[in-house]
Amino acid sequence: MFCLMVLFQTSAGKIHKWQFKNVDPTKPANEYQRLLEQMTTLGLFEKNGERLFDKVLSATLVQTIETPIFDLRDEEPELITEVPEQELRQVQEIGVIKQVRAIEIVAQIKRYLFAKQGIYWNTS
């Protein structure tokens, strides 16, 4: 796919980027320049009183090469089965147990560090 990337100067002197997709790469550069310069005379595109396409600055023809490496859309989607409520509760309980254990480990580390510094920490 070929895309024409164009830089215009706005009537306020700012740069305005514009792209046109699927252009003909065999068209001569002077034809593109002529067409883009005609765009600047239309006065159709304004934003907050500023003409966006006041002057053509540059144009670049960009080619994008797409190389598919795989496509999984043709495969059957995997069915999502409902997990029994008892299994969900077990998983949640395991998560809570792990969190409590992590909190206990942090408390042990704090007690150790405070004891090394001669500070005693009440964990109750």
Side-chain angles (χ1 to χ4, degrees):
M1 175 174 70
F2 285 89
C3 178
L4 186 65
M5 304 294 288
V6 187
L7 292 180
F8 287 93
Q9 184 175 350
T10 68
S11 59
K14 299 177 189 172
I15 300 295
H16 179 73
K17 295 177 186 175
W18 181 76
Q19 70 175 349
F20 187 73
K21 295 181 181 179
N22 298 322
V23 297
D24 180 7
T26 61
K27 194 174 290 250
N30 60 354
E31 179 69 13
Y32 279 118
Q33 183 177 357
R34 185 183 65 76
L35 292 169
L36 292 168
E37 286 174 351
Q38 282 181 354
M39 273 182 65
T40 63
T41 63
L42 298 176
L44 296 175
F45 307 102
E46 288 190 10
K47 184 176 181 181
N48 300 328
E50 178 180 355
R51 290 181 43 210
L52 298 179
F53 302 100
D54 195 47
K55 180 180 177 185
V56 180
L57 298 178
S58 69
T60 305
L61 195 59
V62 177
Q63 181 181 13
T64 302
I65 300 173
E66 295 181 13
T67 308
I69 55 173
F70 65 88
D71 187 353
L72 301 176
R73 291 178 289 180
D74 293 336
E75 294 182 8
E76 287 291 320
E78 189 175 316
L79 295 176
I80 299 174
T81 58
E82 196 169 308
V83 179
E85 191 174 327
Q86 182 180 357
E87 287 182 36
L88 283 176
R89 269 192 249 117
Q90 288 174 345
V91 170
Q92 290 171 342
E93 288 171 3
I94 290 170
V96 169
I97 291 169
K98 286 182 178 180
Q99 288 176 349
V100 168
R101 184 67 186 135
I103 291 170
E104 289 172 352
I105 291 171
V106 169
Q108 289 174 359
I109 292 169
K110 284 182 178 179
R111 280 194 297 273
Y112 172 78
L113 292 174
F114 285 135
K116 293 273 292 178
Q117 294 176 357
I119 301 171
Y120 295 97
W121 181 44
N122 184 2
T123 59
S124 57

